[in-house]
Amino acid sequence: MTMTVATRAIATARSAVRASRLRNVFTAQKSQSHALLIRQMSSEAQSMRSEEQSIAARLRSSGLFRSQGLIGGQWIDAYDGRTIKVHNPANGEVIANVPLMSKRETDDAITSAYDAFKSWSKLTAADRSNRLRKWYQLLTTHKEQIGQLITLEQGKPLKESVGEINYGASFLEFFSEEAKRVYGDIISPTIADRRLFVLKQPVGVVGVITPWNFPLAMITRKVAPALACGCTVVIKPSELTPLTALAAAELSLQAGIPPGVVNVVMGDAPAIGDAILASTQVRKITFTGSTAVGKKLMAGAAGTVKRVSLELGGNAPHIVFDDADVDVAVKGVIASKFRNSGQTCVSANRILVQQGIYEKFCNAFSKAAQDLQVGDGFGEGVAQFFQGPLINEAAVQKVEKFLRDAITKGAKVVLGGKRHSLGMTFFEPTVIADVNSDMLLFREEVFGPVAPLLPFRTEEEAIGLANDANAGLAACVYTNNIQRSWRMAEALEYGMVGVNESLIATEVAPFGGIKQSGLGREGSKYGMDDYLELKYVCLGNMDGN
Ligand code: SIN
């Protein structure tokens, strides 16, 4: 990978946005002289160029633009030299070629992690804590550059990318503190001369498989507690967004986390997954991604009886009652629905609105959705609501399929409903009304910027509709009635419930789902449990000398 490619990608992205901005300037100021416009264009282009040069220089000097795998502290190509391309979803350009690794590299990464476990798990908790905190500090120091990497390979707006670095880094900070709070127990014996103890010990090597929608935060949410407990890891990031993972891994080395504790392989996903599943040295697998892949991993883990943590698909209901504050509800649903272009497992997927407020909410919500700006993630770092491209063509085709299905079955497009005029994988923010439970939009996650609205009459009906799903990750309720908010929180079959607030994920609270949305919890003090084994120790004959 060369920085010139990265610089070119940033430059092309920015010039597309620039061009569209300037087109607008041109339309709005037709009467301005041509010469003035040209001067404006060249001075804007000049300042962009120098900004890009400093971005490139910073990335280069910090060594953060890594494009090889990391095994035992060594940056490594695929053993057979094969590579895969990483694309910028906003313009299709190739940003980097990374190794197409497979079973052999994965086995070596597992061996490195296994060897490193022996010493890493023996460090004092305070020592591990200090290194995790250093990693947190380095990520925070480099948040602008790594944020740019996220926008380059994932497409989300730069402001959201930098927000993801803060979010992702917060897990390292939090678990650096939790590292020091792993306590065992002493149990009263049932036989007088015995002493009973419970020890908590790290599970061992962990296989960490992460998705493209949060290229950093889904890694740190798993790796931070794993390392805090004394485990070591083999990370397989999504092949669509490996560069952020590699930059984070580079910083782990700079933070003093010893070689072999953090390993990164990528490429042939099924072969890497199979190698992790087959290894008896890997004691646990943790995965965020689709329910379909999660089920395969769970089945595959049975062969070696590995522990499994799964954070799988959602189908989040957002329930707006007549007594809600409409402004609060609109703001909450917009933020949840259009964050990351609707590509999160907790995105509002079914917006249930009580009849008395349905029309008012629909109008206010559509107006807010209409005000969303769409464009290259580098374009508008400061816009309040801004939507980037979808990750790839398959994602757009899925959105189109769900929309066709809903329209055929009687739903009405209120806003958007088609690809954006910017082309590529940009899609118009879409609002679709009168959705019902026969439609794909109700049954499955659309994972795109489509907001389906459904009317309901009673609280009981809303609970029935909301719980009519195999998924059970996150739900949200908008109401000013405190009793109702509590009744709903208890009745909803979801692992997380927001009341009058949709962006509820934080490092200090347990993130995870019930039903087919997964197993285990990430973040918070509970996030440590998934990486610890309990060991019962009985000391007998304690009355002797
Ligand atoms: C996810 O989409 O799985 C993660 C969303 C979040 O952490 O907010």
Side-chain angles (χ1 to χ4, degrees):
M1 168 67 209
T2 62
M3 274 312 310
T4 47
V5 180
T7 311
R8 247 197 340 266
I10 298 173
T12 314
R14 284 174 181 243
S15 72
V17 171
R18 213 156 46 228
S20 107
R21 259 206 232 131
L22 288 170
R23 265 199 301 281
N24 294 341
V25 169
F26 189 74
T27 319
Q29 304 177 347
K30 271 194 192 115
S31 59
Q32 262 188 349
S33 80
H34 193 62
L36 180 62
L37 194 61
I38 300 282
R39 268 206 306 281
Q40 228 178 306
M41 284 172 74
S42 69
S43 90
E44 202 178 330
Q46 223 167 1
S47 75
M48 282 285 188
R49 257 201 309 277
S50 70
E51 196 188 325
E52 284 150 14
Q53 276 160 3
S54 68
I55 289 168
R58 276 201 306 272
L59 274 167
R60 203 181 290 117
S61 67
S62 57
L64 291 179
F65 214 111
R66 290 281 178 192
S67 57
Q68 290 169 297
L70 180 65
I71 300 177
Q74 301 296 314
W75 294 101
I76 286 183
D77 289 322
Y79 295 159
D80 60 8
R82 289 187 300 163
T83 58
I84 40 172
K85 294 181 189 340
V86 181
H87 295 271
N88 177 345
N91 56 26
E93 281 200 7
V94 175
I95 310 163
N97 290 298
V98 296
L100 201 170
M101 292 176 156
S102 190
K103 177 176 165 36
R104 283 194 298 141
E105 296 86 344
T106 309
D107 285 343
D108 287 349
I110 292 169
T111 304
S112 295
Y114 188 76
D115 291 343
F117 177 76
K118 291 168 200 146
S119 47
W120 178 250
S121 59
K122 294 287 181 293
L123 291 183
T124 62
D127 197 345
R128 286 199 298 270
S129 169
N130 287 338
R131 294 170 204 239
L132 283 171
R133 176 162 275 273
K134 179 82 183 141
W135 193 8
Y136 153 75
Q137 284 162 344
L138 286 169
L139 267 171
T140 306
T141 305
H142 294 286
K143 69 180 173 192
E144 296 295 334
Q145 293 109 301
I146 302 185
Q148 283 152 3
L149 267 186
I150 292 186
T151 296
L152 260 186
E153 63 178 350
Q154 201 273 345
K156 70 176 68 170
L158 189 54
K159 197 171 144 200
E160 270 188 58
S161 297
V162 175
E164 184 184 338
I165 307 296
N166 290 329
Y167 179 43
S170 74
F171 293 105
L172 292 168
E173 184 188 36
F174 181 84
F175 286 107
S176 75
E177 292 152 358
E178 287 303 292
K180 294 179 274 185
R181 300 190 187 109
V182 177
Y183 305 115
D185 277 312
I186 302 173
I187 298 175
S188 296
T190 52
I191 298 172
D193 73 343
R194 292 191 180 180
R195 299 293 178 267
L196 315 185
F197 301 87
V198 177
L199 308 184
K200 289 190 181 174
Q201 294 183 307
V203 298
V205 176
V206 181
V208 176
I209 304 183
T210 56
W212 49 263
N213 61 346
F214 290 89
L216 178 77
M218 296 305 98
I219 291 177
T220 52
R221 199 155 77 181
K222 299 169 191 325
V223 171
L227 266 53
C229 292
C231 301
T232 55
V233 296
V234 175
I235 305 169
K236 192 208 82 66
S238 165
E239 285 64 39
L240 299 175
T241 56
L243 302 176
T244 307
L246 296 171
E250 163 65 33
L251 291 181
S252 78
L253 295 174
Q254 291 182 22
I257 293 173
V261 173
V262 172
N263 302 275
V264 186
V265 291
M266 75 227 82
D268 181 345
I272 294 170
D274 286 347
I276 290 174
L277 288 171
S279 168
T280 51
Q281 292 180 332
V282 177
R283 294 307 316 135
K284 176 186 171 67
I285 187 155
T286 173
F287 170 71
T288 292
S290 74
T291 307
V293 173
K295 286 178 181 177
K296 281 192 190 146
L297 291 172
M298 196 173 168
T304 49
V305 195
K306 281 189 211 326
R307 293 171 58 142
V308 180
S309 293
L310 302 171
E311 200 257 279
L312 308 178
N315 183 351
H318 278 227
I319 307 165
V320 185
F321 284 99
D322 282 349
D323 58 24
D325 178 327
V326 174
D327 291 342
V328 167
V330 167
K331 192 165 162 247
V333 182
I334 288 276
S336 169
K337 179 68 263 183
F338 297 104
R339 166 184 177 228
N340 204 359
S341 306
Q343 301 172 114
T344 91
C345 300
V346 290
S347 297
N349 203 55
R350 297 170 293 156
I351 302 149
L352 313 177
V353 188
Q354 200 161 16
Q355 251 168 3
I357 208 178
Y358 187 73
E359 207 175 313
K360 187 173 174 192
F361 178 85
C362 191
N363 289 337
F365 181 76
S366 305
K367 156 109 194 42
Q370 196 164 23
D371 290 344
L372 280 163
Q373 285 175 262
V374 179
D376 187 294
F378 285 107
E380 293 293 335
V382 291
Q384 196 191 359
F385 291 118
F386 191 80
Q387 190 188 281
L390 297 194
I391 189 69
N392 58 20
E393 177 60 22
V396 180
Q397 287 181 10
K398 178 177 178 187
V399 167
E400 289 178 325
K401 177 178 154 193
F402 278 39
L403 280 174
R404 267 196 311 276
D405 170 79
I407 293 163
T408 315
K409 292 174 180 162
K412 292 183 191 62
V413 176
V414 178
L415 182 74
K418 56 182 193 312
R419 288 173 189 251
H420 196 275
S421 56
L422 283 173
M424 294 301 300
T425 55
F426 291 96
F427 203 87
E428 293 179 345
T430 295
V431 180
I432 181 156
D434 300 347
V435 168
N436 66 46
S437 57
D438 293 334
M439 299 173 185
L440 282 172
L441 278 175
F442 184 97
R443 304 240 67 91
E444 291 174 34
E445 288 186 294
V446 61
F447 234 65
V450 177
L453 302 177
L454 295 80
F456 70 89
R457 282 181 301 277
T458 63
E459 187 176 308
E460 201 183 9
E461 185 188 354
I463 293 168
L465 284 167
N467 288 343
D468 180 13
N470 288 330
L473 190 58
C476 201
V477 179
Y478 302 90
T479 177
N480 276 335
N481 177 328
I482 184 90
Q483 288 88 354
R484 167 175 278 156
S485 69
W486 193 249
R487 276 197 306 275
M488 291 300 293
E490 286 185 346
L492 288 167
E493 295 168 357
Y494 288 82
M496 298 173 281
V497 178
V499 177
N500 295 326
E501 179 54 67
S502 64
L503 302 181
I504 63 172
T506 155
E507 74 279 14
V508 300
F511 190 105
I514 60 173
K515 293 160 101 176
Q516 294 185 27
S517 285
L519 298 170
R521 292 294 180 270
E522 296 186 326
S524 79
K525 62 176 182 177
Y526 307 104
M528 296 287 276
D529 296 342
D530 281 14
Y531 299 92
L532 292 168
E533 293 285 7
L534 297 184
K535 182 180 284 175
Y536 160 49
V537 179
C538 171
L539 302 188
N541 291 297
M542 293 293 280
D543 286 344
N545 288 321

